[in-house]
Amino acid sequence: MNTVTIVLLLLAVVVVSIIIVVFSQMRERARIERARRVTALEDAYNRAYRIYDELPGQYLTRDIKLLLLRRMEEVCQHLKQEPTELPVKDWLAQVNENKQKVLDGTDQHPKVIIDSPEKSNYIKELLQNLFKLVESLHKSGKINATTAKANLRHILFTIHKTHADLFVFQARDHVRQGQLRKAIHAYHLAATEMGKSQGNDMAARAVANFKERIRELEQELASGQKPHTAEQQSRLDKEWDTFLHDDDWKKKADYDH
């Protein structure tokens, strides 16, 4: 075997080795990219599911429920095209079942009493995540500007409302304990929160309600007499608790009368 042949053989070995290394690197990069896509899709599904599952019923509208479910459905369809051991078929079946319940009006999302700053902040975090999701869906062209604007407006309103709910809970507790000045202060805080939703008719009615309640408590402080019976106050409390869901009540000019 002459020198030229040996050199050619060595060169061939080097070339083959390089091809093998490059091919292995390409396969590894492809594997990493697939894993990255699957992880990103799984995270997207979990984020939407967490909002849908954990957000209390009083903050979810029918449109927002469907938006979240459609987002989960879209993610599942993408995951079906990827090699993964995730239970995508089970997820998709649950999404379709939940979607049908929403369309039929039979889905159940329990309402939650906002009775602590921790609970209020946690719900606010969920709502902020929902806001970011709607923004991203709009930017990617998956929902139109009208739909995005309506949902973002509602979400901003509910972010303010979760703080107002906490202040209302505190105000009621102060009233039960006879601490009327503290109750008045809590209602002032609730009115301030709802006032942040400028241009929102529901927020304006809420502020009017709180101002009326403050006036009544101030009268009670001055006269020592309660302006409402326990039964009437229970009705007023219920009206606030069902603020986002009682369609007949929403149509009233002022919901505290």
Side-chain angles (χ1 to χ4, degrees):
M1 185 177 294
N2 58 37
T3 303
V4 174
T5 302
I6 294 173
V7 170
L8 290 174
L9 285 174
L10 290 173
L11 182 60
V13 170
V14 170
V15 170
V16 170
S17 299
I18 292 173
I19 292 173
I20 292 173
V21 169
V22 170
F23 181 73
S24 298
Q25 289 178 340
M26 290 177 62
R27 287 189 60 183
E28 181 63 15
R29 281 198 295 268
R31 185 192 67 79
I32 293 172
E33 179 60 23
R34 284 195 301 270
R36 187 198 64 77
R37 287 198 306 269
V38 169
T39 299
L41 289 168
E42 182 183 9
D43 289 345
Y45 177 88
N46 287 334
R47 284 195 300 271
Y49 179 80
R50 179 185 173 220
I51 296 169
Y52 177 83
D53 186 58
E54 298 183 16
L55 202 59
Q58 66 263 38
Y59 299 103
L60 284 168
T61 64
R62 180 178 182 273
D63 288 345
I64 287 178
K65 292 174 189 175
L66 290 174
L67 183 147
L68 289 167
L69 289 166
R70 287 166 184 157
R71 174 58 176 163
M72 286 185 269
E73 182 180 28
E74 176 196 15
V75 171
C76 286
Q77 295 296 348
H78 286 302
L79 279 170
K80 285 174 65 176
Q81 302 172 20
E82 300 288 348
T84 175
E85 296 181 358
L86 295 171
V88 179
K89 289 184 178 180
D90 293 340
W91 290 354
L92 192 55
Q94 186 62 56
V95 167
N96 290 330
E97 181 181 341
N98 288 336
K99 187 196 296 185
Q100 191 59 51
K101 287 181 180 179
V102 172
L103 294 172
D104 294 340
T106 58
D107 66 306
Q108 296 293 327
H109 274 79
K111 298 175 183 178
V112 175
I113 296 175
I114 312 303
D115 55 3
S116 70
E118 293 77 17
K119 193 176 292 185
S120 175
N121 288 332
Y122 181 69
I123 292 171
K124 181 181 178 181
E125 178 193 344
L126 291 174
L127 290 168
Q128 289 172 333
N129 289 338
L130 176 59
F131 190 94
K132 292 176 183 177
L133 174 59
V134 173
E135 278 191 321
S136 68
L137 292 176
H138 177 229
K139 289 178 181 177
S140 62
K142 293 174 182 175
I143 59 175
N144 60 41
T146 302
T147 300
K149 183 177 179 180
N151 283 312
L152 291 174
R153 179 183 174 88
H154 174 80
I155 295 165
L156 281 175
F157 168 76
T158 53
I159 288 174
H160 299 315
K161 185 178 182 296
T162 185
H163 288 296
D165 280 342
L166 175 60
F167 295 134
V168 169
F169 176 85
Q170 293 172 341
R172 292 173 182 174
D173 191 49
H174 292 319
V175 169
R176 283 192 294 269
Q177 298 179 43
Q179 299 172 330
L180 300 189
R181 295 191 186 280
K182 289 184 178 181
I184 290 170
H185 178 65
Y187 277 122
H188 272 300
L189 292 175
T192 299
E193 281 298 324
M194 297 311 299
K196 294 176 182 178
S197 292
Q198 297 180 358
N200 187 300
D201 292 340
M202 294 174 67
R205 291 199 296 272
V207 172
N209 173 267
F210 294 141
K211 288 182 178 179
E212 175 65 17
R213 190 72 183 104
I214 290 168
R215 185 184 64 80
E216 292 168 350
L217 290 173
E218 288 174 341
Q219 288 179 346
E220 183 177 342
L221 270 174
S223 65
Q225 295 181 346
K226 292 185 179 181
H228 292 303
T229 65
E231 181 179 350
Q232 288 172 323
Q233 186 56 47
S234 177
R235 176 181 59 80
L236 294 175
D237 290 345
K238 184 178 180 181
E239 285 178 348
W240 173 252
D241 292 339
T242 59
F243 187 44
L244 296 179
H245 296 274
D246 189 340
D247 292 334
D248 292 334
W249 181 62
K250 287 178 189 177
K251 296 175 184 176
K252 296 181 181 179
D254 190 342
Y255 62 78
D256 61 339
H257 294 291

